[in-house]
Amino acid sequence: MLHVSLTARDADALSSFYRVALGFAERRPPKRLHGETVSRGNGLPNSDIYTIWLNQPDQQGPFLEIMEYTEAVERPPPAVNELGFAHLAFDVGDLQATIEKVLQSGGSMQGEVINFGTQQQPYFVVYVRDPEGNILELEQRFNAEEADMR
């Protein structure tokens, strides 16, 4: 996978959320894409896109692209069981601290924290939403040694 792209109402604000709440970092300076080549490529006449690329914390692999079109089509926040793209999942080191950052940065809770693991080896998972309503799955795994220290 090369990247995941989110279309935003406010690319700068959404970029700020991912930086603060999940520790993303700028991959390259923001750019504006427009003109015939862009429009032919995406099939949308007169495309004018402001785009921000963010790296995941401590990674240079697949990145998050946040795009803001000059003319965007509104839609309600997606339902958890809506067809198509469902959510972005992230492995986090401290689930509770990450949830707090998500909420403080304008995100919201979608579900509650559950343990998909065992008492001996917990594997905590929760669904949250970013400020624009996109669904995120946050996961925190513990190996046996970490679980024993809890």
Side-chain angles (χ1 to χ4, degrees):
M1 180 182 310
L2 296 176
H3 69 273
V4 172
S5 181
L6 295 175
T7 298
R9 291 173 190 85
D10 183 337
D12 287 322
L14 196 58
S15 169
S16 178
F17 168 83
Y18 281 93
R19 291 169 200 242
V20 172
L22 296 173
F24 278 65
E26 183 178 89
R27 184 179 181 101
R28 62 137 168 91
K31 288 186 179 182
R32 183 155 296 279
L33 307 173
H34 55 88
E36 182 183 341
T37 302
V38 172
S39 294
R40 282 192 354 249
N42 68 14
L44 182 65
N46 303 311
S47 288
D48 186 5
I49 311 163
Y50 174 61
T51 180
I52 299 171
W53 289 5
L54 300 175
N55 279 336
Q56 296 178 65
D58 303 321
Q59 294 187 23
Q60 295 295 314
F63 61 93
L64 179 63
E65 175 186 44
I66 300 176
M67 300 189 311
E68 180 183 331
Y69 285 80
T70 301
E71 293 185 32
V73 177
E74 283 290 331
R75 70 175 176 116
V80 172
N81 61 341
E82 188 172 305
L83 297 176
F85 295 108
H87 62 266
L88 302 175
F90 300 100
D91 184 22
V92 299
D94 184 333
L95 187 61
Q96 284 307 126
T98 303
I99 290 170
E100 289 174 23
K101 287 180 186 176
V102 164
L103 298 176
Q104 291 168 357
S105 301
S108 61
M109 297 297 295
Q110 171 62 40
E112 60 185 76
V113 177
I114 54 150
N115 183 1
F116 270 135
T118 65
Q119 185 70 23
Q120 295 75 29
Q121 257 184 296
Y123 175 30
F124 296 115
V125 176
V126 67
Y127 278 19
V128 299
R129 290 184 183 261
D130 72 19
E132 294 211 2
N134 300 298
I135 302 168
L136 310 176
E137 180 179 311
L138 305 177
E139 303 179 8
Q140 182 180 9
R141 301 170 193 250
F142 292 90
N143 62 36
E145 184 177 299
E146 290 171 322
D148 287 342
M149 295 188 307
R150 295 187 85 228

